[in-house]
Short mmCIF file of all heavy atoms in Angstrom, two decimals:
data_model
loop_
_atom_site.label_atom_id
_atom_site.label_comp_id
_atom_site.label_asym_id
_atom_site.label_seq_id
_atom_site.Cartn_x
_atom_site.Cartn_y
_atom_site.Cartn_z
N CYS L 855 289.67 249.55 48.39
CA CYS L 855 288.79 249.77 47.26
C CYS L 855 289.48 250.64 46.22
O CYS L 855 290.19 251.57 46.57
CB CYS L 855 287.51 250.44 47.75
SG CYS L 855 286.33 250.67 46.42
N ASN L 857 287.60 251.94 43.60
CA ASN L 857 286.53 252.53 42.79
C ASN L 857 286.38 254.04 42.91
O ASN L 857 285.87 254.67 42.00
CB ASN L 857 285.20 251.86 43.14
CG ASN L 857 285.17 250.45 42.60
OD1 ASN L 857 285.72 250.16 41.55
ND2 ASN L 857 284.56 249.54 43.33
N PHE L 858 286.71 254.60 44.03
CA PHE L 858 286.63 256.05 44.23
C PHE L 858 285.28 256.63 43.84
O PHE L 858 285.19 257.56 43.04
CB PHE L 858 287.77 256.78 43.47
CG PHE L 858 289.12 256.49 44.07
CD1 PHE L 858 289.91 255.45 43.59
CD2 PHE L 858 289.60 257.25 45.14
CE1 PHE L 858 291.14 255.16 44.15
CE2 PHE L 858 290.84 256.97 45.71
CZ PHE L 858 291.61 255.93 45.21
N CYS L 859 284.21 256.07 44.39
CA CYS L 859 282.90 256.71 44.24
C CYS L 859 283.04 258.11 44.86
O CYS L 859 283.69 258.24 45.91
CB CYS L 859 281.82 255.91 44.97
SG CYS L 859 281.69 254.23 44.33
N TYR L 861 281.41 260.15 46.57
CA TYR L 861 280.90 260.51 47.90
C TYR L 861 281.67 259.79 49.00
O TYR L 861 281.46 260.05 50.18
CB TYR L 861 279.41 260.13 48.03
CG TYR L 861 279.14 258.69 47.65
CD1 TYR L 861 279.33 257.67 48.56
CD2 TYR L 861 278.74 258.36 46.37
CE1 TYR L 861 279.13 256.35 48.21
CE2 TYR L 861 278.53 257.04 46.00
CZ TYR L 861 278.73 256.04 46.93
OH TYR L 861 278.55 254.73 46.58
N CYS L 862 282.52 258.84 48.64
CA CYS L 862 283.00 257.86 49.61
C CYS L 862 284.44 258.09 50.04
O CYS L 862 285.33 258.32 49.22
CB CYS L 862 282.86 256.46 49.01
SG CYS L 862 283.31 255.16 50.17
N VAL L 864 286.12 255.78 51.83
CA VAL L 864 286.76 254.48 52.09
C VAL L 864 288.09 254.27 51.33
O VAL L 864 289.09 253.87 51.93
CB VAL L 864 285.77 253.32 51.83
CG1 VAL L 864 286.47 251.98 51.78
CG2 VAL L 864 284.71 253.29 52.93
N PRO L 865 288.16 254.54 50.01
CA PRO L 865 289.43 254.29 49.32
C PRO L 865 290.61 255.09 49.90
O PRO L 865 291.76 254.67 49.79
CB PRO L 865 289.15 254.73 47.88
CG PRO L 865 287.67 254.64 47.74
CD PRO L 865 287.12 255.01 49.09
N GLN L 899 285.14 245.51 50.88
CA GLN L 899 284.55 246.77 50.42
C GLN L 899 283.99 246.61 49.01
O GLN L 899 283.11 247.33 48.60
CB GLN L 899 285.60 247.89 50.42
CG GLN L 899 285.67 248.65 51.73
CD GLN L 899 286.69 248.06 52.68
OE1 GLN L 899 287.57 247.31 52.27
NE2 GLN L 899 286.59 248.41 53.94
N HIS L 946 279.75 245.15 44.10
CA HIS L 946 279.53 246.32 43.25
C HIS L 946 278.80 245.83 42.00
O HIS L 946 279.24 244.85 41.39
CB HIS L 946 280.88 246.95 42.88
CG HIS L 946 280.73 248.33 42.31
ND1 HIS L 946 280.04 248.58 41.14
CD2 HIS L 946 281.18 249.54 42.74
CE1 HIS L 946 280.06 249.88 40.90
NE2 HIS L 946 280.75 250.48 41.85
N ARG L 985 279.81 255.88 39.70
CA ARG L 985 279.43 254.50 39.99
C ARG L 985 279.66 253.54 38.83
O ARG L 985 279.56 252.33 38.98
CB ARG L 985 277.96 254.43 40.44
CG ARG L 985 277.69 255.02 41.80
CD ARG L 985 278.31 254.19 42.90
NE ARG L 985 277.64 252.92 43.08
CZ ARG L 985 278.07 251.97 43.90
NH1 ARG L 985 279.20 252.13 44.58
NH2 ARG L 985 277.42 250.84 44.03
S1 SF4 Z 2610 282.77 250.81 45.92
FE1 SF4 Z 2610 282.40 253.01 46.14
S2 SF4 Z 2610 281.06 253.11 47.97
FE2 SF4 Z 2610 282.04 251.09 48.01
S3 SF4 Z 2610 283.87 251.37 49.29
FE3 SF4 Z 2610 284.50 251.65 47.14
S4 SF4 Z 2610 284.37 253.86 46.82
FE4 SF4 Z 2610 283.19 253.41 48.68
#
Side-chain angles (χ1 to χ4, degrees):
C855 183
N857 288 326
F858 291 93
C859 300
Y861 52 83
C862 184
V864 167
Q899 270 92 18
H946 195 298
R985 290 292 290 173

